[in-house]
Amino acid sequence: MLNVAVIGFGTVGSGVCELLTNNADIIEKNAGEKINLKYICDIREFPDSPFADKMVKDFEIIANDPTVDVVVETMGGRGAAYKFTTMALEKGKSVVTSNKEIVAYCGVELMQKAEANGARYLFEASTGGAIPALTPIAQCLSANRISRIAGILNGTTNYILTNMFTHGKSYDTALSEAQAKGYAEKDPTADVEGFDTCRKICILGAIMSDCLVCPDDVKVTGISKITRKDVEAAESFGCKIKLLGVAEMCGEKLSLEVSPYCIADNVPLYGIEDVFNGIMVDTDAAGTVMFYGRGAGKLPTASAVVSDIIDIAARKGAKSQFAPWKDGKDMLAKDEREFAYLMRVGGDVADFEKKFNICAHITEENVVAFVTDKFNAEEYNSFCKILEERGYSVISSYKVFA
Amino acid sequence: MLNVAVIGFGTVGSGVCELLTNNADIIEKNAGEKINLKYICDIREFPDSPFADKMVKDFEIIANDPTVDVVVETMGGRGAAYKFTTMALEKGKSVVTSNKEIVAYCGVELMQKAEANGARYLFEASTGGAIPALTPIAQCLSANRISRIAGILNGTTNYILTNMFTHGKSYDTALSEAQAKGYAEKDPTADVEGFDTCRKICILGAIMSDCLVCPDDVKVTGISKITRKDVEAAESFGCKIKLLGVAEMCGEKLSLEVSPYCIADNVPLYGIEDVFNGIMVDTDAAGTVMFYGRGAGKLPTASAVVSDIIDIAARKGAKSQFAPWKDGKDMLAKDEREFAYLMRVGGDVADFEKKFNICAHITEENVVAFVTDKFNAEEYNSFCKILEERGYSVISSYKVFA
């Protein structure tokens, strides 16, 4: 029997308790032993919960109970979650988390602490929700050199962008609808400005390179400035705009970026719509592989948490699927990659095509949209300068994902 | 150090040798020890191969070498492959295979033999090629009840169908082009008649239900009777026709089927094109998850084989990710599921819509195409009888995947 304590009885924590109860038979079969939910720790009262008899308010009770094998941290943040995770690992208890913030900021230290104490630190649920991603990448693509991981990693922003494309909504309307449906929070900043995606792509980057870059060091652009006109320009070239987290090896270094990209319909991520997430992995032997599913939600996230608990039971004595991470502070590449750009440019658009020898769509009065040749950062800046010198103003510009 | 012997130096076997050599550093890191290619067994001569010094013709040498830990069987078929696999397992050597035929027909016995001899029998490469599928389903969705697995599991047929849809080719032209590009064999029967897909869906069905149904007991329909007119009819309803393997739980029983299905664009499998494969899994907690990638090819298949070798090194002492399989001969469900059908019907099509109260497209003279309500098998047969009684003939009919 494996004894589990859940800390943080919010959406995900209560989902984990529900799933451990409802699917106890199949979980026991796959774990090879019974998984017993022994404690739930939360400072709030839940007198009417079917789990009321398991509630404790003091984490010390869990930390000091030697029969607790696994602590499930579904609190979020880096305050109490960090303190309790550290305490649990130091007592040799394995920790499973859905908390992307703590993994992205403290993963190196917490993995080392787990290793030093003969425990495991697992976080499949932190990235891609229900989607099996971190474990399959580390374990099933283990014979490959991975050159790039690109993902639609945030369901809220993908829902908003899908709504703008498919139903012609403005950004503000699409955001309001996402809030009304409970897909976006009242303060949507972390989602729409790309910070949530950033934490996840830092974790994926670490799976790829064994180096964890701090999310604060990554250039992040969100979706709040995307307009209907940008959407229409992308559509006129058969493309969509999607918010991507991209981690790419540049020699020994790692490029990390969160940005809205223009995506053509031959890219597998093109078809990932609504609240779904997709994680695309480019490798040398397997080619391109993609994982698709629900990136958030109570039971989808609980599915990933519980699969990690089962893994702890079933893999006793086995090597972790993850190589130990190093601090990636010197790992970030100066970005020298080349991209084509989808641009919208204002000015005297007559003869624009001829002047620049480029296919351009006049999308509104005095505005053209076009896709450039491939430029590196310097060439792109030179091109923008030329446009400016000839009296044009760049209204918007999106890298084309290829 | 883990010593490996590859038996069968064909496309996949030589890919395994190449990958073990080219990515030796990353493979050693992920395995936790060096993976040493000790022998290659083939009855043919390869004097110019860079691996010539490892070639042996007699499998006994490998079977009787106690330092060989893992045998990689990439021979195909059930003759010598079965004999050598059995010999290796009986000597306590683990076996990794890409051979779907042997797994689908002999998997129960070979898994038992592995278990009895303290060895492992792994076959990630047998289904979905490079795509991490069997392991992630068994391991990362282990907290879920899986209700259905549906897959585009054969790249050859998907390439042909994509060509018929996207480029308006006939079946015969699309097949010839697939043969010219090396995607289809000279005798394409196993692919186009669905037998290859059948073996793979039997394996996926066993991952889902722990019961392996013999492929010979499964109803299989291939793609060779699909016409351009069928394709156009599907397109007129915004759908595509794809060859699917479908395994679905029906209570305690299992429904297994290989058939061309009509698929609408809200199904994730809709976007799987060309030689790519997609495996879609419906679960109770995680919702729908899909795995996408290359289903065949030298290095993609080798990627899956080598990940299994790494797993053997890294998971020493751990429980297998797969529950033992039982023989599924009493497992097959009488199919009582309901489907809508895309039908093409000939006859006096004037007023067809009014007569049957159905939206019907007149696609050519005296032919209508329409999508029916949902019918179970009995209702569908009754409907066909009514059509016949009123003087209509059914030209073609496809289940609609939902």
Side-chain angles (χ1 to χ4, degrees), chain A residues 100 152-164 171 173-194 196-197 200 223-224 241-243 272-277 293-297:
Chain A
K100 57 221 156 226
I152 294 172
L153 300 169
N154 180 276
T156 306
T157 45
N158 204 42
Y159 180 83
I160 291 169
L161 291 173
T162 302
N163 218 347
M164 288 175 76
Y171 171 77
T173 308
L175 172 59
S176 300
E177 288 189 14
Q179 285 170 321
K181 288 202 173 185
Y183 294 150
E185 311 214 20
K186 208 174 149 189
D187 175 1
T189 312
D191 290 323
V192 301
E193 296 306 343
D196 176 77
T197 295
K200 293 169 179 169
I223 66 163
S224 60
I241 297 173
K242 297 279 193 189
L243 183 68
I272 314 290
E273 299 282 47
D274 295 317
V275 295
F276 284 90
N277 287 14
R294 294 193 172 272

Side-chain angles (χ1 to χ4, degrees), chain A residues 22-23 25-26 29-30 139-140 142-145 210 284-285 289-290 292 300 303 307 310-311 314-315 319, chain B residues 22-23 25-26 29-30 139-140 142-145 210 284-285 289-290 292 299-300 303 307 310 314-315 319:
Chain A
N22 292 352
N23 283 4
D25 54 345
I26 201 157
K29 189 202 81 177
N30 290 327
Q139 195 173 318
C140 302
S142 51
N144 292 266
R145 284 177 219 281
D210 303 336
D284 59 351
V289 166
M290 190 177 72
Y292 165 97
S303 160
S307 80
I310 292 170
D311 199 53
R315 283 171 76 98
K319 192 175 167 295
Chain B
N22 292 351
N23 284 2
D25 53 345
I26 202 159
K29 189 202 82 176
N30 290 326
Q139 194 173 321
C140 302
S142 52
N144 292 265
R145 283 176 219 284
D210 303 336
D284 58 351
V289 166
M290 191 176 73
Y292 165 97
L299 287 177
S303 160
S307 80
I310 293 171
R315 283 171 75 99
K319 193 175 166 295

Side-chain angles (χ1 to χ4, degrees), chain B residues 1-79:
Chain B
M1 190 169 77
L2 198 81
N3 281 311
V4 173
V6 171
I7 56 174
F9 195 64
T11 305
V12 178
S14 61
V16 169
C17 298
E18 194 178 314
L19 189 54
L20 283 173
T21 308
N22 292 351
N23 284 2
D25 53 345
I26 202 159
I27 290 166
E28 178 171 348
K29 189 202 82 176
N30 290 326
E33 62 185 314
K34 185 172 153 57
I35 307 294
N36 180 50
L37 176 61
K38 186 159 185 184
Y39 299 110
I40 300 165
C41 182
D42 201 298
I43 48 169
R44 296 167 292 178
E45 305 269 356
F46 299 92
D48 301 329
S49 162
F51 303 105
D53 61 322
K54 299 180 191 295
M55 297 282 174
V56 297
K57 290 191 176 177
D58 182 1
F59 182 70
E60 294 277 349
I61 296 167
I62 293 165
N64 293 324
D65 182 341
T67 71
V68 172
D69 304 291
V70 179
V71 170
V72 173
E73 183 268 297
T74 48
M75 305 173 69
R78 276 175 280 166

Side-chain angles (χ1 to χ4, degrees), chain A residues 10-36:
Chain A
T11 304
V12 177
S14 61
V16 170
C17 298
E18 196 179 312
L19 189 55
L20 283 172
T21 308
N22 292 352
N23 283 4
D25 54 345
I26 201 157
I27 290 165
E28 178 171 345
K29 189 202 81 177
N30 290 327
E33 63 184 313
K34 186 173 150 59
I35 307 294
N36 179 49

Side-chain angles (χ1 to χ4, degrees), chain A residues 257-277:
Chain A
E257 187 196 15
V258 176
S259 178
Y261 271 83
C262 177
I263 301 184
D265 70 353
N266 61 348
V267 176
L269 293 168
Y270 179 90
I272 314 290
E273 299 282 47
D274 295 317
V275 295
F276 284 90
N277 287 14

Side-chain angles (χ1 to χ4, degrees), chain A residues 216-251:
Chain A
D216 299 340
D217 296 338
V218 175
K219 193 179 166 213
V220 177
T221 311
I223 66 163
S224 60
K225 294 198 172 58
I226 301 173
T227 65
R228 277 291 313 151
K229 297 291 178 192
D230 296 336
V231 166
E232 285 161 17
E235 274 177 330
S236 78
F237 286 96
C239 296
K240 291 179 188 167
I241 297 173
K242 297 279 193 189
L243 183 68
L244 299 187
V246 182
E248 187 164 359
M249 296 308 300
C250 298

